[in-house]
Amino acid sequence: MIENYIITILVSLGIGSILLLVGLVKLVKTNTHATMFWNEIVLEKITNFVMDQSKEQRILNSVSYNAVKGNPQSVLDCIDKYCSKCEWAMNVGDEKGLILDKIVEETDPSVVLELGTYCGYSAIRIARLLKPKARLLTIEFNSEFVPIAKEIIEIAGLNDKVTILEGHSEDIIPQLKKKYEVEKLDFVFLDHWKERYAPDTVLLEECGLLRKGSVILADNIIYPGAPEFIKYIRSNKRFECTNYPSHLEYMQVEDSMEKAVYLGPDDE
C-alpha cells in the first residue's frame, strides 16, 4: 500500500516536472521578456561559469578566429552569425543595421558621437561608411567591454577612425568641446541605457553640441522602449522625427528606430 502511494507521488512529480518544463519552454518561445531573461540571465550565467569567460569574450574569440583582418564587413558578418546562431547579444544587428547604414550615408557626417559602444559592432558599421578624416567618438561606461571593443575595432581595421571614451555619458558629454575638440556633432547614435536617451539629448542641446541639421538616431524604441525620449522629441518643435519600424536584433520581435533632425534653437 505504501509502495503504491510512493509510486503515485513519484509519477505525479515526474509528470508535473515535465508539464512545468514544457510550460517554461513555451513561455520562453512566445514571451519576449521570458526569452530575454533566459538568454541574458539564466543561459549566459551558466555558460560564463562553465567556460570561465564572458559572452563578450566569446564574441571576440569568434571574430579573432573567423573574421578577415582589416575587413569591416567580415567582422560584422562574423558577429551577426555568432549572435544569431550561438548567443544573443545587444548589437544593433543586421536588420536595423541597414537602417543605420542608410541614415549615416544620407547624413555624410564628419563628427559622430555614439552612446553605448558595447563590443564595437555599431561603431564598425558607422566608421566603415565615414569619409576620410571623419571621426567617431563612442562612449562606454563598462570597463570590461572597452578592451574587447577596442580589439574588435582594431581587427576591423578602423581604430584610426574610432575613439572609445570610457565613462558615463553625463560626465563625458560636457567635456566634448574642450577636452575632445568637438565643435558640433553631425550625427549621434543612441544605443545605451534607454532611460538616458532623453536627459542626454537635453544635455547635448545645453552643451551647444547640436547644429541645425544634426541627426540623432535612437535604437530600441519599442523594446525595451524609451518612452521619455519619444515624448520629448515628438512634442518638441526643435526636432523633426521619423520612425523606422523593424525587429529586435536577431529576433522576430517588433522594434523600431527613431530619427530626430535638430532644426535649431527656438530663437532661430
Side-chain angles (χ1 to χ4, degrees), residues 205-225:
E205 291 183 83
E206 292 175 345
C207 292
L209 288 161
L210 300 181
R211 60 163 177 82
K212 188 174 182 179
S214 291
V215 174
I216 297 174
L217 181 65
D219 191 18
N220 301 124
I221 293 305
I222 294 178
Y223 191 89

Side-chain angles (χ1 to χ4, degrees), residues 125-136:
R125 284 205 84 104
I126 296 169
R128 84 196 204 285
L129 299 174
L130 296 181
K131 55 194 172 188
K133 297 186 179 180
R135 59 176 176 148
L136 165 63

Side-chain angles (χ1 to χ4, degrees), residues 24-40:
L24 286 173
V25 170
K26 186 176 180 180
L27 181 63
V28 167
K29 285 185 175 180
T30 58
N31 183 281
T32 304
H33 295 288
T35 302
M36 298 302 293
F37 177 82
W38 173 257
N39 287 334
E40 293 288 275

